[in-house]
Amino acid sequence: MYHFIVNPVSRSGKGLILWQKKIEPILKKKNIPYRVEYTKQRGDTTELCRKISASAKNEDNCIIVALGGDGTVNDAVQGIEDFENTTFSFIPTGSGNDFAKDMKISKNVKKTLKKILSAKKYAEALKKFKDQPATTEDGTLFKIYANIGTPEEAAVALEHGADGIGLFRTEFLFMNALQEFKRETGAFSNSLSEEAQFEAYKKVLQIMGDKPVTIRTLDAGGDKLIDSGDMPLFEEKNPLMGLRAIRLSLYYSPQIFRAQLRALYRASVYGNLRILLPLITDVSQVETALGIARGVQLSLKEDNIPFNPDVPIGIMIETAAAAVCSDCLAPHSKFFSLGTNDLTQYTLCVDRENTTVAPLYNEFNLAVLRLIKTTITNAEEHNVPVSVCGEMAGNKESVIILAGMGIRNLSMAPKKIPVIKEMLSRFSISELKNLSNRSLF
């Protein structure tokens, strides 16, 4: 969807004239869907961009086109910097009777509209891939899954042609519930109840039917903070390497972990569930988690609550320790899921949230690629399915390398599914292998 922001009361008044005389007529003639917002005072552009980007997070692509001066650009950037699904274009409106500026405006309008028309054609071309299986030019089949953070996003995943849910980030359930409770009452509460979790997991499984749904246990801590009565915030010098994810579940709040596993097993009778353990670095962690899972199954049997005892439990490979020792972890895991975001930052010692060192964050670094290849090789030797759920899975350039390495399961933001399907259809497996080999050696 294209969202235009127009300032009708600018000093020159050209923003409104450009919109009414040149831009809107073309959009209507070409049948391009759009919405328009009008600013009323200085600073409105920031809030409008923030509102549009937040409300359009499930759109295939949110494109904001602002008409204004330099101040408009600065305001817009502040409003969209936190939203990865938003593309921003700017049409300068110029001032006075400057002929050179007027010519620049005209060219900029044409250039922006040309981009819009081109993007529309590409979006139309992608629609045919929504309901098609993901295959290469020579017929090799891939499974393309969706990453979600709320039960409602499962329906969006289906709309984009997902083969299932490759990653349900349950920490967002906890965070959203606590924020809503605090907003409504002004008080703190304990973590999300077993019953509330059960209803959320059940909803996703029912929406997806017989398609696989991989739900990750609580990956709190680090940059995903949950401040509740039974899980308070910790003061840590390096939280990304501190008490987070499976460490938090096993060593600090096993009661929350048990409640989550009970909710997951109870929901398992409503669909094709798989459970994923985050930030595993040692075999003992998997063994402990599996032991707790067996205890949860026994308690459900005693309570006469139905569940599927054969739910596969897999692990995230997102540290160098897990990748290097993946041959040892494989016998204890039903599947691997490569979390390339954390794997990259831990391997390269780069905090991806730190703007000072962000340029050093590189998923194509040879060390990262070799750890991925090691994991794939070990998984194949032990007949353990492996998928990728990090940002590399939704990036066309990195998918080429991953597919050439042997990855056949990818999980990404729903809007990227048809894009990756279309890209894979243009290559043969031999071509992907050749391209991938150049990156590894």
Side-chain angles (χ1 to χ4, degrees):
M1 174 65 71
Y2 296 91
H3 302 263
F4 286 82
I5 297 176
V6 181
N7 180 3
V9 292
S10 63
R11 282 181 297 176
S12 68
K14 288 192 175 183
L16 185 59
I17 294 171
L18 272 173
W19 171 250
Q20 292 178 336
K21 300 295 184 182
K22 292 187 177 182
I23 299 174
E24 189 173 33
I26 294 176
L27 296 172
K28 290 181 176 179
K29 183 179 179 181
K30 298 292 185 179
N31 197 29
I32 296 173
Y34 70 91
R35 292 175 185 157
V36 61
E37 301 273 3
Y38 297 97
T39 60
K40 295 180 180 179
Q41 59 188 6
R42 185 177 180 83
D44 279 0
T45 301
T46 299
E47 290 306 313
L48 284 173
C49 284
R50 186 173 289 124
K51 183 185 77 172
I52 292 168
S53 297
S55 64
K57 65 180 181 179
N58 289 327
E59 291 183 11
D60 288 348
N61 195 13
C62 171
I63 300 176
I64 297 176
V65 184
L67 284 70
D70 292 341
T72 301
V73 178
N74 295 333
D75 291 345
V77 169
Q78 291 179 44
I80 66 174
E81 60 185 0
D82 295 329
F83 299 93
E84 63 178 24
N85 70 316
T86 302
T87 302
F88 175 68
S89 292
F90 170 61
I91 300 177
T93 54
S95 60
N97 298 312
D98 191 318
F99 179 77
K101 286 186 176 180
D102 287 345
M103 290 300 294
K104 183 178 180 182
I105 293 167
S106 178
K107 289 178 181 177
N108 205 301
V109 169
K110 290 178 181 178
K111 184 178 179 181
T112 300
L113 290 174
K114 187 176 180 180
K115 285 183 179 180
I116 290 173
L117 291 171
S118 177
K120 183 187 177 185
K121 288 180 180 178
Y122 181 59
E124 288 294 326
L126 288 179
K127 285 183 179 179
K128 71 176 185 180
F129 290 94
K130 189 190 79 166
D131 298 319
Q132 293 182 4
T135 58
T136 56
E137 191 178 47
D138 54 353
T140 300
L141 181 66
F142 284 70
K143 291 293 183 181
I144 310 296
Y145 303 104
N147 296 339
I148 64 172
T150 66
E152 292 73 23
E153 290 175 0
V156 178
L158 283 180
E159 290 172 5
H160 286 81
D163 292 315
I165 302 300
L167 177 64
F168 183 0
R169 303 181 179 97
T170 60
E171 55 273 15
F172 293 111
L173 281 180
F174 285 73
M175 294 165 69
N176 293 340
L178 289 170
Q179 288 172 3
E180 184 176 345
F181 183 84
K182 186 176 181 181
R183 187 166 52 248
E184 292 177 353
T185 67
F188 287 94
S189 72
N190 284 339
S191 297
L192 202 61
S193 69
E194 176 188 325
E195 195 62 30
Q197 291 185 68
F198 163 69
E199 291 296 337
Y201 307 148
K202 173 185 172 182
K203 183 176 181 178
V204 174
L205 288 162
Q206 288 179 323
I207 290 173
M208 299 308 295
D210 61 352
K211 296 178 183 292
V213 174
T214 301
I215 300 181
R216 183 173 67 188
T217 60
L218 189 59
D219 187 12
D223 56 347
K224 289 167 284 190
L225 302 177
I226 296 177
D227 190 8
S228 66
D230 51 358
M231 195 186 299
L233 295 178
F234 296 95
E235 289 292 334
E236 296 182 294
K237 289 185 177 180
N238 194 343
L240 288 172
M241 294 188 180
L243 193 59
R244 56 166 297 202
I246 197 65
R247 301 169 182 177
L248 191 66
S249 295
L250 297 181
Y251 309 134
Y252 182 81
S253 54
Q255 74 283 1
I256 296 176
F257 186 49
R258 289 191 184 93
Q260 183 169 35
L261 288 177
R262 278 182 62 90
L264 285 166
Y265 275 115
R266 287 173 57 195
S268 66
V269 298
Y270 294 96
N272 186 3
L273 174 66
R274 303 193 302 179
I275 297 173
L276 181 62
L277 305 175
L279 203 70
I280 294 295
T281 56
D282 186 77
V283 170
S284 64
Q285 293 172 327
V286 186
E287 292 176 332
T288 302
L290 293 177
I292 294 174
R294 287 191 292 270
V296 167
Q297 290 188 19
L298 287 174
S299 71
L300 290 171
K301 285 181 181 178
E302 292 173 357
D303 295 337
N304 293 317
I305 296 176
F307 67 95
N308 177 9
D310 298 318
V311 173
I313 298 181
I315 66 171
M316 293 282 292
I317 304 292
E318 49 189 337
T319 66
V324 171
C325 295
S326 53
D327 57 332
C328 300
L329 291 165
H332 304 272
S333 310
K334 295 298 183 183
F335 61 93
F336 285 163
S337 184
L338 273 158
T340 55
N341 298 349
D342 273 349
L343 180 63
T344 301
Q345 75 168 347
Y346 285 135
T347 301
L348 302 182
C349 299
V350 175
D351 178 2
R352 64 180 188 270
E353 302 295 330
N354 185 333
T355 56
T356 306
V357 295
L360 299 175
Y361 182 87
N362 177 19
E363 294 164 326
F364 296 96
N365 182 282
L366 185 58
V368 176
L369 296 180
R370 287 187 173 178
L371 287 172
I372 292 172
K373 182 60 178 175
T374 296
T375 302
I376 295 171
T377 300
N378 288 334
E380 289 175 347
E381 289 179 355
H382 289 83
N383 198 30
V384 173
V386 58
S387 64
V388 176
C389 65
E391 290 181 8
M392 288 183 76
N395 179 294
K396 290 192 284 188
E397 289 75 17
S398 53
V399 166
I400 290 174
I401 295 175
L402 294 170
M405 287 183 183
I407 291 292
R408 298 293 179 265
N409 303 296
L410 299 158
S411 190
M412 63 202 68
K415 65 178 181 178
K416 295 183 178 180
I417 291 173
V419 175
I420 297 303
K421 285 185 176 182
E422 187 275 335
M423 188 277 294
L424 287 170
S425 72
R426 293 187 277 112
F427 292 89
S428 68
I429 281 297
S430 60
E431 289 173 330
L432 293 170
K433 286 181 178 178
N434 289 335
L435 291 169
S436 182
N437 286 337
R438 295 178 191 175
S439 301
L440 285 169
F441 303 104

